[in-house]
Amino acid sequence: KEKQSLQGHFNATKSAMNKVRDDQAQLLKALSVQARHCETSLDEQLQQAANLLSLGELNRKLESGREKIAPFYPFLKVSKEEEDAMAKVPAALKHETNALSSYARTQAGEVVEQ
């Protein structure tokens, strides 16, 4: 009788341990899936940030001297000569300008032309 009681206690303890082990395995699996999802999301955000930085660098190359100095002061008067100088794209940057314009799209997905 004692042997049966001990066997019953052993089986109950073993089944409880197996249940806890299965529950922990499910939690680990869910955690692994969430970690992978977070990693891919962060990789996408990192790629998007790198693209923004590279576009910013290209934009900075195309800015005129006046735009680099005072980009947010529209109240400053600009002469006609300065406007013409700002409108010209240097020949060395023509290729980069064309590459940059191919990235510009509207919200509808249409290519933005100059």
Side-chain angles (χ1 to χ4, degrees):
K1 184 172 181 169
E2 186 177 331
K3 185 176 178 181
Q4 288 177 346
S5 174
L6 191 58
Q7 185 68 33
H9 179 67
F10 173 77
N11 288 336
T13 305
K14 185 176 179 180
S15 65
M17 283 177 41
N18 286 337
K19 183 179 181 329
V20 168
R21 188 177 295 131
D22 291 341
D23 291 344
Q24 292 299 315
Q26 291 297 323
L27 289 174
L28 181 61
K29 187 187 298 183
L31 181 64
S32 297
V33 169
Q34 289 174 354
R36 181 67 183 148
H37 175 71
C38 288
E39 185 179 359
T40 56
S41 174
L42 288 173
D43 286 341
E44 290 171 2
Q45 291 177 7
L46 182 64
Q47 182 64 37
Q48 190 174 25
N51 287 341
L52 282 173
L53 287 174
S54 66
L55 289 175
E57 290 170 4
L58 284 173
N59 186 35
R60 189 73 174 160
K61 288 179 184 178
L62 296 174
E63 286 180 344
S64 67
R66 184 178 181 87
E67 289 172 328
K68 288 179 183 178
I69 294 170
F72 302 108
Y73 299 107
F75 56 86
L76 295 176
K77 302 265 186 204
V78 178
S79 69
K80 183 69 175 159
E81 293 170 357
E82 288 177 334
E83 282 183 16
D84 292 341
M86 282 191 254
K88 291 181 184 177
V89 176
L93 297 177
K94 206 56 142 162
H95 176 70
E96 290 181 14
T97 305
N98 292 336
L100 183 62
S101 66
S102 69
Y103 291 114
R105 300 201 180 270
T106 63
Q107 289 181 344
E110 301 163 349
V111 176
V112 176
E113 297 295 330
Q114 288 185 349

